[in-house]
Amino acid sequence: MPLFKKRTAGKPGEWYYCLEHKKVEEGPECPAKDRFGPYATRAEAEHAMEKARERNLQWENDPAWHDAPKGGDED
């Protein structure tokens, strides 16, 4: 039996979106590896996946990450 129990990090009053259960939770319910947050409000946590999709789209379309190959096309 371990001397110290492994606890999830977080505090009541902080909101998270659990990726495992696909639900909003307050405080430390699920492990940090399975959640987004913390968010200041429940509403922000409810829109976590939408915000992640928006950020992924911005990143995928960022020209800094899609540089043209050096030397150009020579076909």
Side-chain angles (χ1 to χ4, degrees):
M1 182 172 180
L3 292 175
F4 301 100
K5 292 184 179 181
K6 192 172 185 178
R7 294 178 32 178
T8 56
K11 300 178 248 181
E14 293 179 329
W15 294 92
Y16 298 88
Y17 181 82
C18 177
L19 300 167
E20 182 77 19
H21 300 108
K22 309 218 182 322
K23 68 173 189 151
V24 173
E25 47 190 49
E26 182 180 10
E29 288 184 32
C30 291
K33 69 180 182 72
D34 293 332
R35 64 184 186 212
F36 284 162
Y39 297 96
T41 66
R42 180 179 187 89
E44 286 180 29
E46 287 172 349
H47 293 93
M49 293 305 294
E50 180 181 315
K51 188 69 151 176
R53 277 191 291 277
E54 289 172 5
R55 288 180 178 166
N56 285 344
L57 189 59
Q58 288 174 344
W59 184 49
E60 289 169 4
N61 293 315
D62 186 341
W65 294 101
H66 299 284
D67 295 336
K70 293 185 179 184
D73 292 333
E74 292 186 18
D75 286 336

